[in-house]
Amino acid sequence: SLREGTKDRVESVDIKVLNSILADQKEKMKTEYHQSIQDHKKVNDNLQRHKTAAEDELRESKRASVLLKNDNRYIRQQLQIKDTELRELQASDELRELKRGSVLLKDDNKYIRQQLKIKDTELRELQASIYKK
């Protein structure tokens, strides 16, 4: 009976030791589980931050692209306007040149008429002097 009591006590101690070991293991597993959840949350938070940053960068790139397209369109319009202005100036410059040329031709024409009158008068005088003789 003493042996049985000792045996019961030994088994009771073994069960207590096993229960203690199991409790420690359970606590350790709980800690590891919570740590893995925390690690998982950190990874998800990091992924979310990177995703948000990438989305923000994409939105900013799209905005910049739209701005560049608008800027390009504006520059093209300004180029067309300047091109038209240049053509108009060139045309008006050509018109001025034509007017100057026209004035020169009129002056030249006037000079030629005067010379023609002078020569005509000289010719008549010469003919008159020839007929008088």
Side-chain angles (χ1 to χ4, degrees), residues 36-84:
S36 71
I37 287 175
Q38 290 300 320
D39 291 346
H40 186 71
K41 278 184 181 178
K42 283 180 188 176
V43 168
N44 277 346
D45 289 348
N46 281 338
L47 285 173
Q48 188 59 44
R49 261 197 313 278
H50 286 295
K51 179 183 174 193
T52 302
E55 288 170 344
D56 290 346
E57 195 173 322
L58 179 62
R59 270 192 296 281
E60 195 56 40
S61 293
K62 285 180 180 177
R63 255 186 246 121
S65 175
V66 167
L67 290 175
L68 284 173
K69 284 179 185 174
N70 289 341
D71 199 30
N72 232 359
R73 193 174 301 126
Y74 173 76
I75 290 171
R76 281 195 181 123
Q77 288 171 346
Q78 290 302 308
L79 181 61
Q80 285 176 339
I81 290 169
K82 295 300 177 191
D83 195 38
T84 302

Side-chain angles (χ1 to χ4, degrees), residues 76-121:
R76 281 195 181 123
Q77 288 171 346
Q78 290 302 308
L79 181 61
Q80 285 176 339
I81 290 169
K82 295 300 177 191
D83 195 38
T84 302
E85 288 174 359
L86 178 64
R87 273 190 254 115
E88 288 171 356
L89 278 173
Q90 286 171 338
S92 70
D93 198 36
E94 287 172 12
L95 183 60
R96 270 194 297 272
E97 284 297 315
L98 286 172
K99 284 180 180 176
R100 253 187 247 126
S102 175
V103 167
L104 290 175
L105 284 174
K106 282 180 185 174
D107 290 346
D108 206 23
N109 205 352
K110 217 182 276 179
Y111 173 77
I112 291 171
R113 284 177 196 258
Q114 288 172 347
Q115 291 299 313
L116 186 59
K117 279 182 186 176
I118 292 169
K119 295 297 178 191
D120 197 34
T121 304

